[in-house]
Amino acid sequence: MDLTYLDTALETMLAQVNPSPGDFVQGKDVDLLVDIVRSSTSTTDFQLPDMNGLTSAYYPFSLEISMDRLLRYGYNPDLPTYLVVPNTVRRGEWTSVNAGANVLPKLWEHLGHLDTPVVVHGVEHEEITPDVFSGGYYSYDMDRALILLAHEGRPVLISVTRQQDRSAVGKKGAVVGNDGDWQYLYSGVKGLTKGGLGWVSSYMYESMSVTVFCEVPGSQGPRIKAGVFKWLRAGWAGINMVRTHHIKEGCKRFATAMTEILESPNLPPEDRLVRHIDMCKRLTPGELRGLVKPYVDELKKADDPVVNKSPFKKLLASGEYLQNMPKEDMVKVLVQGYLKDILGRDHVVDATACQQILARRTDGDHEAGSPEQGVSPNNS
């Protein structure tokens, strides 16, 4: 693996999230970057170029799917950002795309005729799930570029991000039980959940990444080889508390859920997912609370000491947590339940009840918007 021009290649990609990015040119440095990712194995590791003293790491992984499948589910303007990474993204939205409306193009429509690269520039607002170590969660704006190109006849997607300013102050969150169960608590209270750090005003000061997805031939059809190049500075009082292993664990978290979801043979066509999520969004807050209540009740009973810590114990016991749960979070819980059902995993919410609720509303048999009623999975 020739790393001679890696620094130049990464600088070329990161230039695409500068305030005024120049025209993208697919030169030898870009081809080198793709070759490095294609040549990587699960044990590949090397030192990334220094970027203002940020902590850095490289993380390779693979997906047994085609580029078409990755784009239709992971980069679909009609599907939520968290769909394939529910364990790392709480919510996200493009606030600007190519300096215009906040709608991504349907990149998969360009596959098969990538004579010139397709480049998308925009701004995305993102809020992440609680950190496994500290419990802190953060929101921020980032400049982002998506570049779809062809390399030796195969499609490659490169996603480049750079955080605009320091994040909003970190807030106390929690991973309940196993992180793979996608169960999270959000307090809205400043600080970190980890013992002794409740008082901390923490921030993500700077972050940037270059993620490369390369379609390659496989014995069972096309597959994806991916590599994440990431730099991060986060902590408190201006001190960077991030270590390389923290970044790698975060990348592993990202890759694990994406792999499980996208490789599932039971994943329905994307248009069916779009319709289902739209039905969830059409429910009133009262109806959503009725469906999400079993999930919150399950969190209360979880065999995890974090649910008995401040501020979560009071929020859960009083019912305040469920009552004040944002609509977006309730929809996400239903979407996660739907995904778990597809994956054959245990779950306590019945996302399929949305259709019955809307049907009863149409028939006049359901009093829409009544926060007292709600609908339980057991009677839907």
Side-chain angles (χ1 to χ4, degrees), residues 41 144 202 220 232 254 290 353:
T41 69
R144 187 167 190 179
S202 64
Q220 304 297 320
L232 177 62
F254 167 86

Side-chain angles (χ1 to χ4, degrees), residues 26-36 38 114 148-158 212-217:
Q26 184 179 346
K28 290 183 178 180
D29 51 352
V30 177
D31 291 338
L32 167 72
L33 186 65
V34 174
D35 286 336
I36 287 173
R38 285 173 44 163
L114 287 169
L148 184 64
L149 53 87
H151 177 80
E152 297 181 356
R154 293 277 182 175
V156 174
L157 176 71
I158 304 176
V212 183
F213 297 96
C214 312
E215 186 180 271
V216 297

Side-chain angles (χ1 to χ4, degrees), residues 41 47 51 70 76 157 162 170 175 180 183 231 234 238 255 266 294 305-306 343 375-376:
T41 69
Q47 185 69 38
M51 297 287 181
L70 174 68
N76 189 322
L157 176 71
R162 176 181 277 133
V175 178
Q183 297 182 147
W231 298 261
N266 299 323
V306 75
L343 298 171
V375 178
S376 161

